[in-house]
Amino acid sequence: MAVTFHVRSNSFPSRTHPQAAHVNEQLARLRSSEEASTSSSSSICQRINNIQELHESLDKLICLPVTQQALSQEQNKKAVEQLLDGSLRILDLCNMSKDGLSDMKESLMEIQSILRRKRGDLSEEVKKYLASRKAVKRTFQKVQKSLKVTHAEDKNEESLAVFGEAEAVTIALFDSLFSYISGSKTCGKWSAVSKLMNKKKVTCEAQANEFTRVDSEFKSENTLKMEDVQILESFIQDLEDGLESLSKSLIKYRVSILNTLGH
């Protein structure tokens, strides 16, 4: 899944507009937060919210006449098509994430029901959950291998650089999200984008979190804690809510581009 990363351009007129300045500030905060923090449930949810707000701002930026002019120019046709393709890929990532989370949450709810009622086949339901976890991890890790950001060299595309930057930080979010859910090795210091751009080698380490904690407890039922199951289910719900809001903003953003093109 190659993602075109457009280089910055200070020549884009709309960047002097307050809305363009706001978008640049949001991008800067996203880069800064990635550099400064390690992954946690709260930071992941906050990044999803920030990305959702970024796309709302991009949608407003598209409404500016100068942006619409840039999107409509024949010389930018290829770049715009790449942006539309990119928005579809990101929507696919949203849907894939929501589907995987929904499967896990359904099993967790059934496990909680069995624990509360103290009857039912707990072992069988735990096996179902671990099987769903294995399938989700396999899918996410396969997708991560195909995530890649490349530079666009066509100078005609520089006027749309801010949209390419937004796409890159969004892809980086999903790379981090998939690693977090899978409990796979994670990296810091803006390494998600660095890795995707093949800029440098980064040091990674395995992470322990709500998902891996419950995995360990389920594999040893003697240590199973209802509280940890509830915490994980609540976190999954927060992720689902955030991804749903992001999906809606992405759809609106994509429609705005299409409307500008008169599709």
Side-chain angles (χ1 to χ4, degrees), residues 179-227:
S179 289
Y180 195 90
I181 294 174
S182 301
S184 56
K185 291 185 177 182
T186 186
C187 317
K189 294 292 184 183
W190 193 226
S191 57
V193 168
S194 297
K195 180 182 69 173
L196 294 172
M197 294 174 64
N198 296 321
K199 282 181 123 182
K200 62 181 179 181
K201 291 184 178 180
V202 291
T203 302
C204 305
E205 58 182 14
Q207 60 180 318
N209 57 47
E210 295 85 353
F211 290 97
T212 57
R213 187 177 303 116
V214 169
D215 284 351
S216 297
E217 292 178 10
F218 281 179
K219 291 173 182 176
S220 175
E221 292 183 20
N222 291 331
T223 62
L224 198 157
K225 298 178 182 178
M226 179 70 142
E227 181 183 4

Side-chain angles (χ1 to χ4, degrees), residues 96-158:
M96 184 187 307
S97 302
K98 290 189 291 183
D99 289 345
L101 290 167
S102 178
D103 289 343
M104 287 186 284
K105 187 178 74 172
E106 184 177 347
S107 289
L108 287 173
M109 291 175 68
E110 183 59 31
I111 288 170
Q112 288 182 76
S113 177
I114 292 173
L115 289 172
R116 281 193 299 267
R117 292 183 286 111
K118 296 184 178 179
R119 66 175 185 269
D121 194 340
L122 179 61
S123 295
E124 185 60 29
E125 200 58 45
V126 166
K127 287 179 182 179
K128 289 181 182 179
Y129 172 80
L130 292 175
S132 70
R133 280 281 293 150
K134 184 176 181 180
V136 166
K137 289 166 68 174
R138 183 167 55 245
T139 298
F140 285 178
Q141 289 168 356
K142 180 179 180 180
V143 171
Q144 281 182 283
K145 291 178 181 179
S146 65
L147 291 177
K148 186 177 181 181
V149 177
T150 57
H151 287 280
E153 299 297 335
D154 189 343
K155 297 302 180 182
N156 291 331
E157 299 176 6
E158 288 186 5

Side-chain angles (χ1 to χ4, degrees), residues 2-246:
V3 179
T4 303
F5 183 87
H6 303 273
V7 296
R8 283 182 174 273
S9 169
N10 294 322
S11 62
F12 190 26
S14 70
R15 285 194 177 231
T16 61
H17 190 280
Q19 185 60 34
H22 180 56
V23 168
N24 284 327
E25 289 173 2
Q26 289 176 297
L27 284 168
R29 283 198 300 269
L30 281 163
R31 289 190 291 266
S32 177
S33 65
E34 177 70 14
E35 291 174 354
S37 64
T38 55
S39 291
S40 66
S41 57
S42 58
S43 68
I44 290 286
C45 287
Q46 186 60 54
R47 284 178 65 193
I48 293 175
N49 291 337
N50 289 344
I51 292 289
Q52 185 262 328
E53 291 173 357
L54 172 63
H55 281 84
E56 286 187 348
S57 297
L58 289 172
D59 184 56
K60 293 177 182 178
L61 187 63
I62 291 171
C63 294
L64 297 178
V66 67
T67 311
Q68 294 186 358
Q69 181 181 3
L71 290 169
S72 302
Q73 289 177 350
E74 181 65 27
Q75 64 185 19
N76 288 331
K77 182 178 180 179
K78 179 181 177 182
V80 173
E81 290 299 326
Q82 289 175 331
L83 290 176
L84 289 170
D85 289 344
S87 66
L88 274 183
R89 285 193 293 267
I90 294 171
L91 280 169
D92 285 343
L93 294 176
C94 273
N95 291 330
M96 184 187 307
S97 302
K98 290 189 291 183
D99 289 345
L101 290 167
S102 178
D103 289 343
M104 287 186 284
K105 187 178 74 172
E106 184 177 347
S107 289
L108 287 173
M109 291 175 68
E110 183 59 31
I111 288 170
Q112 288 182 76
S113 177
I114 292 173
L115 289 172
R116 281 193 299 267
R117 292 183 286 111
K118 296 184 178 179
R119 66 175 185 269
D121 194 340
L122 179 61
S123 295
E124 185 60 29
E125 200 58 45
V126 166
K127 287 179 182 179
K128 289 181 182 179
Y129 172 80
L130 292 175
S132 70
R133 280 281 293 150
K134 184 176 181 180
V136 166
K137 289 166 68 174
R138 183 167 55 245
T139 298
F140 285 178
Q141 289 168 356
K142 180 179 180 180
V143 171
Q144 281 182 283
K145 291 178 181 179
S146 65
L147 291 177
K148 186 177 181 181
V149 177
T150 57
H151 287 280
E153 299 297 335
D154 189 343
K155 297 302 180 182
N156 291 331
E157 299 176 6
E158 288 186 5
S159 62
L160 302 177
V162 67
F163 297 98
E165 291 174 43
E167 187 176 320
V169 296
T170 304
I171 292 294
L173 162 69
F174 280 98
D175 187 52
S176 297
L177 177 63
F178 291 168
S179 289
Y180 195 90
I181 294 174
S182 301
S184 56
K185 291 185 177 182
T186 186
C187 317
K189 294 292 184 183
W190 193 226
S191 57
V193 168
S194 297
K195 180 182 69 173
L196 294 172
M197 294 174 64
N198 296 321
K199 282 181 123 182
K200 62 181 179 181
K201 291 184 178 180
V202 291
T203 302
C204 305
E205 58 182 14
Q207 60 180 318
N209 57 47
E210 295 85 353
F211 290 97
T212 57
R213 187 177 303 116
V214 169
D215 284 351
S216 297
E217 292 178 10
F218 281 179
K219 291 173 182 176
S220 175
E221 292 183 20
N222 291 331
T223 62
L224 198 157
K225 298 178 182 178
M226 179 70 142
E227 181 183 4
D228 288 338
V229 178
Q230 292 173 332
I231 290 173
L232 178 55
E233 188 205 334
S234 177
F235 175 38
I236 289 177
Q237 184 62 56
D238 289 341
L239 289 175
E240 287 182 318
D241 292 343
L243 290 168
E244 181 62 26
S245 295
L246 176 56

